[in-house]
Amino acid sequence: QAAILTGQGSSQVQDLLLLDVTPLSLGLATAAGMGLPREGGGEDETFAVLVPRNTTIPTKRTATFTTYADNQPGVLIQVFEGEHPDV
């Protein structure tokens, strides 16, 4: 990476394309049963992954969540990173 940024090095190095990626998944803590559908079926109960690991950045993701109770006046959004399903 340093050779590419400084313009030094062989022509083989200059042809490389470097991409920034997220090393860990990024997601939101959710109430039990309020998660996003899991790959392979089922529902993740505590961690809704919005940006899977190794996704190139910058990226844009959208998801729709519902409140835990009707007429709830506000929500606390907690963003976590990692691979463990239990937040």
Side-chain angles (χ1 to χ4, degrees):
Q1 182 177 6
I4 293 171
L5 294 175
T6 60
Q8 298 176 359
S10 69
S11 62
Q12 292 174 336
V13 173
Q14 296 302 319
D15 293 335
L16 290 176
L17 174 64
L18 298 177
L19 301 173
D20 284 330
V21 298
T22 59
L24 298 170
S25 296
L26 298 172
L28 303 176
T30 60
M34 303 300 286
L36 295 173
R38 215 186 279 185
E39 286 185 24
E43 193 175 76
D44 194 337
E45 293 184 357
T46 57
F47 187 65
V49 175
L50 294 178
V51 180
R53 69 178 171 182
N54 295 326
T55 300
T56 56
I57 51 176
T59 188
K60 180 179 179 179
R61 296 287 197 269
T62 59
T64 302
F65 294 88
T66 59
T67 56
Y68 189 74
D70 290 338
N71 300 319
Q72 189 172 332
V75 294
L76 173 65
I77 299 174
Q78 296 176 302
V79 179
F80 292 93
E81 66 178 356
E83 302 306 317
H84 198 278
D86 296 325
V87 177

